[in-house]
Amino acid sequence: MSATSENSSSDDNYSGSQEVKMNQSQVLHFSKDEEALIIRMYKLVGERWTLIAGRIPGRTAEEIEKYWVSKNSPNGYFK
């Protein structure tokens, strides 16, 4: 089964999802479960974004890294 942004996630309507802007026209939505998994995996493996993304179906290493940077930078923006 192919995962696309249109049908890869049932989290689009999840009220507890977190939004992360990738660029001016694209916003990512992360569920609370995805956020928790990213945090746990980061504590275990550090900045190995490909490894972390491999544990979250439909997510790329770039999306995970941008999520992490946006949530952990002092001003909330990408570097």
Side-chain angles (χ1 to χ4, degrees):
M1 178 164 74
S2 174
T4 64
S5 61
E6 294 154 355
N7 58 10
S8 65
S9 176
S10 62
D11 296 314
D12 292 342
N13 296 324
Y14 181 71
S15 62
S17 66
Q18 184 68 35
E19 293 183 359
V20 175
K21 284 191 174 190
M22 286 191 66
N23 60 38
Q24 292 177 346
S25 64
Q26 188 176 13
V27 176
L28 293 174
H29 300 275
F30 284 83
S31 70
K32 295 293 182 184
D33 289 339
E34 287 175 319
E35 291 177 27
L37 183 55
I38 293 168
I39 292 166
R40 280 186 305 208
M41 290 294 295
Y42 183 84
K43 289 178 181 179
L44 289 171
V45 301
E47 295 181 358
R48 296 176 66 191
W49 307 119
T50 302
L51 184 62
I52 296 170
R55 306 297 290 170
I56 304 174
R59 295 293 186 188
T60 66
E62 182 182 50
E63 290 172 333
I64 301 299
E65 182 178 10
K66 287 184 179 189
Y67 165 81
W68 186 261
V69 170
S70 72
K71 298 301 282 180
N72 293 292
S73 64
N75 60 7
Y77 297 105
F78 303 130
K79 295 179 180 179

